[in-house]
Amino acid sequence: DQQVKQNSPSLSVQEGRISILNCDYTNSMFDYFLWYKKYPAEGPTFLISISSIKDKNEDGRFTVFLNKSAKHLSLHIVPSQPGDSAVYFCAVLVGNKLVFGAGTILRVKS
Amino acid sequence: NAGVTQTPKFRVLKTGQSMTLLCAQDMNHEYMYWYRQDPGMGLRLIHYSVGEGTTAKGEVPDGYNVSRLKKQNFLLGLESAAPSQTSVYFCASSGTWGGGNEQFFGPGTRLTVL
């Protein structure tokens, strides 16, 4: 059973608007969450993370929100830019290892 | 710094053939990982290492072996390749373990097993 779920395989957004990528997890004991971004033919790169002691973390245009009661986190990108078009993976730290979701393809249209 | 590099970038094997994928990092990281990425499944951990001379199984270790003889290198071996091992393989490294762990990934190796 998947411990981390990204239920939207793809998302299309107009340049300048907000992109919201969602992720659900199964275990309320998970306490550290990360987002990675991946371009075609490249490896994933770390984007932003959040600890369970927080409910929000910002880094420039990227903000991650954590809703522990719903076991849900989301990544907001404002404003979206064409260069943000990529696959976004949500990941959770389980013990000493990262468990990834299946990814969401974001397309930002200019 | 080159970061994390992987060799080769592409490879086609026939069923039953063997091969070794090489991962190298120049960041003096203690921890190294091998993942595979398949459509609709994200990245899954195959094996990992917490330091030179150590290895441990991840989520999907069957059919693979690894070795970490030098701190900077992590090798992934396929002794008898199967079509189910067709995938994109990513190596990663990190300098810490646990919260705050940022893993740095290589560019990937695309393997096709016929």
Side-chain angles (χ1 to χ4, degrees), chain A residues 16-100:
Chain A
R17 306 296 292 266
I18 184 171
S19 296
I20 300 176
L21 297 101
N22 295 303
C23 179
D24 296 298
Y25 58 95
T26 57
N27 192 331
S28 58
M29 298 299 290
F30 293 160
D31 60 6
Y32 199 79
F33 308 88
L34 306 90
W35 285 94
Y36 279 80
K37 176 180 178 179
K38 184 184 177 306
Y39 291 118
E42 294 184 11
T45 55
F46 170 76
L47 192 56
I48 193 169
S49 62
I50 188 167
S51 164
S52 62
I53 63 173
K54 293 185 172 183
D55 54 18
K56 176 182 172 182
N57 190 25
E58 277 183 270
D59 185 1
R61 296 185 297 114
F62 302 90
T63 302
V64 56
F65 294 92
L66 177 62
N67 182 334
K68 291 184 285 292
S69 61
K71 290 183 281 187
H72 177 85
L73 67 156
S74 60
L75 176 68
H76 293 210
I77 306 173
V78 182
S80 301
Q81 298 173 354
D84 295 329
S85 297
V87 180
Y88 289 79
F89 291 100
C90 165
V92 62
L93 193 65
V94 180
N96 295 328
K97 298 176 279 293
L98 289 178
V99 177
F100 288 84

Side-chain angles (χ1 to χ4, degrees), chain B residues 9-17 19 21 35-42 44 46 60 62-64 76 78 80-90 108-114:
Chain B
K9 288 187 167 51
F10 304 94
R11 185 73 184 268
V12 178
L13 289 179
K14 294 181 179 178
T15 297
Q17 287 185 315
M19 77 163 294
L21 283 68
Y35 294 89
R36 59 178 289 172
Q37 185 195 4
D38 302 294
M41 302 200 66
R44 292 182 293 168
I46 304 172
V60 288
D62 293 342
Y64 305 96
L76 178 71
L78 287 74
S80 179
S84 60
Q85 294 177 304
T86 293
S87 187
V88 181
Y89 291 85
F90 290 101
T109 295
R110 184 172 294 274
L111 175 66
T112 302
V113 183
L114 302 176

